[in-house]
Amino acid sequence: MTTSTTPDPVRIGVFDSGFGGLTVLRALLPQIPAAEFFYLGDTARLPYGSKSQATVARYAVESAQLLESYGADYIVIACNTASALALDAIRAAAHVPVLGVIETGAESAAAASATRDVLVLATQATVDSHAYARACAAHGLRSIEKACPLLVPLIEEGWIDSPVTREVLRIYLEQAQAEAQAAGLALDTVLLGCTHYPLLRALLQEALPKGITILDSAESTAQRVRQELEQTKPLRAAELGENGTSSAVCHFFATDSVDKFRALGSRFLGRPIEKVELIDLGG
Ligand code: DGL
């Protein structure tokens, strides 16, 4: 007599300093609809973008280890800052495959840009690391990297359509465009090098000249995760999903204010978040 058992679903751990990585989770859900997702927002220690490499690496390694302790078979760093500053440290500490978002972002820009001149908007730490300049150059792109340190706190407050945010964005873009002009770049693509920024896509569209393509790495990262999982851990048909719907089970963890995470996170994820567990990762 044979018994049939349903294999465990693939477990995917996703983390960011806050809500921003939910833009990546949102893209992952239809790509791998029957996976079990574990999302951590390290909200107590946000923002990562103003911190040193050593601090970001420590925070990011602790986040990855927490996700692994929940059984993650694969970890997605849904944070550009941690991907730029700590990818090697996270890979060295983890026992499962780890994917960052910088390379996939640069690949999307390379596929989209006709002029080969790209503006990257990112946190101060990501800009200072020049991870995007290197990744873009490897694809034959010239880039201007513009730090936008005020955007993450505004987004974490939910001010995604506020006149204050609109004005801050206008000033950043004006400065970046002046820099691009001085360097003789003909920008046709804006790459959102922070996973929080897709939440400002509508404001960006309003503020940028027509004909500029706005990209983020969420979609290309989700596709890469699916491809890599297919190679390393064959996925069942149900996990691959062809119809764009998702029955994925998601578990949410935050290191601060779970009520705020539930309320704002549901808005950013585009589906209700019912339960968020408070986690203490230390200081
Ligand atoms: N969402 C993160 C990123 O993609 C970082 C935001 C922050 O904590 O500064 O860079």
Side-chain angles (χ1 to χ4, degrees):
M1 196 176 84
T2 56
T3 52
S4 76
T5 52
T6 311
D8 286 341
V10 61
R11 294 197 175 95
I12 302 177
V14 181
F15 76 90
D16 179 38
S17 57
F19 301 118
L22 292 172
T23 58
V24 178
L25 179 59
R26 192 173 182 158
L28 279 162
L29 293 174
Q31 283 290 337
I32 312 163
E36 190 171 3
F37 289 94
F38 295 80
Y39 182 92
L40 169 65
D42 190 8
T43 43
R45 306 192 290 190
L46 170 138
Y48 282 9
S50 59
K51 299 203 167 61
S52 69
Q53 193 272 337
T55 300
V56 171
R58 179 163 62 86
Y59 290 175
V61 164
E62 287 168 358
S63 295
Q65 284 171 335
L66 178 94
L67 293 170
E68 235 189 295
S69 77
Y70 279 93
D73 305 304
Y74 191 101
I75 291 173
V76 181
I77 312 172
C79 172
N80 289 265
T81 309
S83 301
L85 276 66
L87 181 61
D88 291 345
I90 300 165
R91 283 193 170 143
H95 304 89
V96 296
V98 176
L99 182 70
V101 285
I102 304 279
E103 180 52 34
T104 48
E107 273 173 22
S108 317
S113 175
T115 63
R116 316 309 286 160
D117 290 342
V118 174
L119 168 62
V120 181
L121 304 179
T123 65
Q124 189 68 56
T126 301
V127 167
D128 291 346
S129 76
H130 298 300
Y132 266 111
R134 284 193 299 277
C136 286
H139 289 279
L141 300 171
R142 294 194 299 175
S143 58
I144 295 279
E145 299 166 289
K146 175 68 184 161
C148 306
L150 294 175
L151 296 184
V152 167
L154 288 166
I155 294 164
E156 288 282 325
E157 280 309 307
W159 286 30
I160 55 174
D161 48 14
S162 145
V164 175
T165 311
R166 188 175 275 112
E167 182 58 9
V168 169
L169 203 51
R170 189 192 65 72
I171 294 169
Y172 283 145
L173 290 175
E174 196 175 86
Q175 291 171 348
Q177 278 160 332
E179 210 183 310
Q181 206 164 19
L185 268 65
L187 301 173
D188 69 348
T189 302
V190 173
L191 178 56
L192 307 182
C194 171
T195 54
H196 281 72
Y197 298 174
L199 298 161
L200 300 180
R201 189 177 277 272
L203 290 194
L204 275 157
Q205 218 123 34
E206 267 174 39
L208 284 165
K210 289 221 170 355
I212 301 261
T213 305
I214 304 171
L215 291 175
D216 63 65
S217 45
E219 200 53 52
S220 52
T221 300
Q223 284 166 8
R224 178 66 65 81
V225 175
R226 176 173 162 150
Q227 283 161 7
E228 289 198 358
L229 282 174
E230 278 172 324
Q231 280 162 16
T232 57
K233 177 179 164 76
L235 297 172
R236 299 189 305 278
E239 284 170 331
L240 291 173
E242 298 300 338
N243 59 5
T245 59
S246 176
S247 58
V249 175
C250 297
H251 308 274
F252 296 93
F253 306 92
T255 53
D256 196 10
S257 55
V258 289
D259 291 337
K260 184 176 171 190
F261 192 98
R262 211 170 21 238
L264 273 183
S266 302
R267 186 166 153 203
F268 295 161
L269 185 61
R271 67 184 238 177
I273 293 176
E274 267 128 39
K275 189 168 158 255
V276 182
E277 198 175 313
L278 184 64
I279 292 287
D280 184 0
L281 287 178

